[in-house]
Amino acid sequence: MKLAIEEALFGKKSGEPPFGGIIIDAKGNIIARAHDTVIKNHDLTRHSELDLIRKACHKRGRDLTGYIVICTCEPCPLCFTAIWLAKVSTVIFGSYIPDVLKITNNKQRELNFSAKNMNAKSGKQIRLIGGILRKECAKLFKDYKYKNNN
């Protein structure tokens, strides 16, 4: 999780929303690292988790069974869907979407729909482990400067 936080901080320093993550294989080898690039790319789909999946699929193929995504925030519906489609086995995350909404006073635009609920409806569930370094991950948003394009 500390590496995911480092990625989020790297993105935050360049003006991006402070989301970050890594994807590892079953042996713990880092396959990819990513942070949000929605501002840089003028593309609201450039979430850290989506970029992790893109990078990992490019390197390993479309089936990421056995891989683990570690991210600073609970995946939004968009990211959860990509993770699920790629057959990632486990997602470990820090803060929950309601944490981010609360700390940002709803300035961070998020659909408040839990990964747990999406997982329950998925038919083939992913192992979800939430709340790892939860306070540290939520704190990433404390002083983030929101602009009109978020």
Side-chain angles (χ1 to χ4, degrees):
M1 185 60 70
K2 292 196 184 267
L3 293 175
I5 291 170
E6 283 179 19
E7 275 298 312
L9 287 170
F10 182 77
K12 184 178 180 178
K13 286 178 187 171
S14 62
E16 297 289 345
F19 295 94
I22 62 171
I23 187 166
I24 60 175
D25 65 18
K27 294 179 182 176
N29 298 308
I30 297 173
I31 305 305
R33 300 170 67 122
H35 59 274
D36 271 28
T37 57
V38 298
I39 294 171
K40 173 185 168 189
N41 290 304
H42 305 283
D43 180 349
L44 294 172
T45 68
R46 296 304 298 264
H47 294 193
S48 61
E49 298 92 339
L50 287 181
D51 280 350
L52 287 173
I53 297 302
R54 284 182 187 109
K55 290 175 181 180
C57 286
H58 182 73
K59 289 180 181 178
R60 307 287 194 209
R62 297 183 327 182
D63 186 343
L64 299 178
T65 300
Y67 289 77
I68 301 166
V69 167
I70 302 169
C71 47
T72 56
C73 186
E74 175 180 23
C76 71
L78 176 70
C79 294
F80 181 87
T81 300
I83 291 166
W84 184 83
L85 287 170
K87 301 178 184 172
V88 169
S89 297
T90 304
V91 176
I92 300 170
F93 62 90
S95 60
Y96 290 81
I97 291 172
D99 298 336
V100 173
L101 293 172
K102 182 178 179 182
I103 202 164
T104 65
N105 201 22
N106 291 311
K107 289 180 184 171
Q108 176 62 43
R109 190 170 171 158
E110 294 291 335
L111 290 173
N112 193 0
F113 196 76
S114 75
K116 181 180 176 182
N117 287 339
M118 289 181 281
N119 205 28
K121 295 177 186 285
S122 72
K124 177 123 173 79
Q125 295 191 5
I126 296 169
R127 182 173 177 224
L128 296 174
I129 303 169
I132 306 301
L133 297 179
R134 182 177 182 177
K135 289 181 183 177
E136 291 89 333
C137 290
K139 194 175 179 181
L140 291 165
F141 293 88
K142 189 171 185 340
D143 58 355
Y144 177 70
K145 305 295 183 215
Y146 285 88
K147 300 171 181 107
N148 291 336
N149 52 355
N150 275 356

